[in-house]
Amino acid sequence: MKEKNRKVKSSKKLTIATWIVILGIWYFVTKLNMVQSVLVPSPYEVWNSFLNILKDGYNGTSLMMHLGISFKRLFVASFFAVLTAIPLGLLSGYFEKIRAVVDSVIQFYRPLPPLAYYTLLILWFGIDETSKVTLLYLAAFAPIYIACVSAVTKINQDYILSAESLGASHRNIFFHIVLPASMPEIFTGLRTAVGVAYTTLVASEMVAATSGIGWMVIDASRYLKSNVMFVGIIIMGITGILIDAGLKFLEKKLVYWKGYV
């Protein structure tokens, strides 16, 4: 245990050192005017832009409102993805016939770029929130579903056969063997799904949107406001890390049998 803790601390120090080097390179590249400020603004310009947006907002909307709108879209889509993908994925992994019906559909749309079918969603659901949330839902659904199917198919069949030989019902087998054994991989799929949905957020806010952190980046790019773009990208990166850290913390609490440092 002490050896593991030492390795964790060493890894954290290495991570911090890596980001110090990245920030240092960024500072010196802009300080020495190696690139134009319109392409890569200095850390000082980005910081000032962040303070201005934090104080006055962007395009008449506060930064918290932009974040709130984007997070609402992200969390609503992720919630419904979890609500549907986990049961369907577990059933598909457990029953071959259900997998034969569902799996090919998921595998068909999964590799498609979001913008390829976003225009169809706009035609079907309009340009308001429904099409945006649906796009994020589809982006989050596939990773969770695939993780669930993979988790169930990897379960040692001896556990299930032993339970059946002792008279366990299908319900007991599912809740006491299948679900606990699948939880670690389900959380991995959930973390991946939220990340994929977050990256799709910019695409969902490209069309007919006037707010959201992704829209702020897209709008700034139209006017070559690279400092605002950097602010938006950095905020998305940091909030993405925080969301993932929250999911990891939740996983440690709920999947305590997996074993964590």
Side-chain angles (χ1 to χ4, degrees):
M1 183 63 70
K2 289 183 179 180
E3 181 66 20
K4 286 185 178 180
N5 288 332
R6 187 186 64 80
K7 289 182 178 180
V8 168
K9 289 180 180 179
S10 177
S11 296
K12 287 181 178 179
K13 289 179 180 178
L14 187 59
T15 299
I16 293 171
T18 299
W19 279 103
I20 290 174
V21 170
I22 292 173
L23 292 173
I25 293 172
W26 179 18
Y27 172 78
F28 284 110
V29 165
T30 55
K31 183 71 174 178
L32 299 175
N33 295 319
M34 297 175 67
V35 292
Q36 297 179 7
S37 61
V38 71
L39 299 177
V40 181
S42 68
Y44 178 75
E45 290 175 314
V46 173
W47 177 250
N48 276 344
S49 297
F50 169 71
L51 294 179
N52 290 333
I53 294 172
L54 190 62
K55 179 183 177 182
D56 303 322
Y58 183 79
N59 198 38
T61 304
S62 68
L63 179 60
M64 291 299 105
M65 185 66 71
H66 282 298
L67 282 171
I69 291 170
S70 291
F71 284 160
K72 179 183 176 182
R73 292 165 179 160
L74 178 66
F75 291 143
V76 169
S78 299
F79 171 77
F80 283 107
V82 168
L83 205 62
T84 54
I86 291 179
L88 190 58
L90 293 176
L91 288 172
S92 295
Y94 199 64
F95 297 103
E96 187 69 32
K97 290 183 179 180
I98 295 178
R99 194 191 319 170
V101 173
V102 177
D103 199 70
S104 61
V105 178
I106 307 300
Q107 297 298 342
F108 172 78
Y109 93 81
R110 183 175 65 89
L112 295 177
L115 288 179
Y117 54 85
Y118 188 30
T119 50
L120 285 176
L121 296 178
I122 293 173
L123 288 174
W124 294 340
F125 302 112
I127 59 176
D128 58 1
E129 293 299 301
T130 305
S131 60
K132 295 175 176 58
V133 172
T134 303
L135 181 69
L136 298 180
Y137 166 81
L138 292 173
F141 182 92
I144 299 174
Y145 169 85
I146 291 171
C148 291
V149 173
S150 175
V152 175
T153 54
K154 288 179 182 178
I155 295 175
N156 191 333
Q157 291 300 307
D158 290 340
Y159 299 153
I160 296 176
L161 293 174
S162 298
E164 288 177 346
S165 67
L166 293 173
S169 64
H170 287 294
R171 178 186 177 87
N172 288 332
I173 291 173
F174 179 81
F175 283 104
H176 295 285
I177 297 177
V178 175
L179 187 58
S182 303
M183 285 296 287
E185 200 156 345
I186 288 175
F187 264 96
T188 301
L190 179 58
R191 289 171 57 194
T192 303
V194 172
V196 172
Y198 208 168
T199 58
T200 311
L201 184 66
V202 176
S204 72
E205 294 178 345
M206 285 179 66
V207 181
T210 57
S211 57
I213 194 69
W215 171 84
M216 190 175 81
V217 174
I218 293 297
D219 186 74
S221 69
R222 297 191 184 105
Y223 304 100
L224 297 179
K225 298 178 180 178
S226 58
N227 50 342
V228 177
M229 292 171 60
F230 268 64
V231 170
I233 291 170
I234 290 171
I235 289 174
M236 291 179 72
I238 293 174
T239 51
I241 290 173
L242 293 176
I243 292 171
D244 188 67
L247 290 173
K248 288 172 70 175
F249 176 80
L250 188 62
E251 183 181 8
K252 287 182 181 180
K253 295 297 181 182
L254 296 179
V255 196
Y256 52 85
W257 58 86
K258 180 179 177 181
Y260 295 91
V261 178

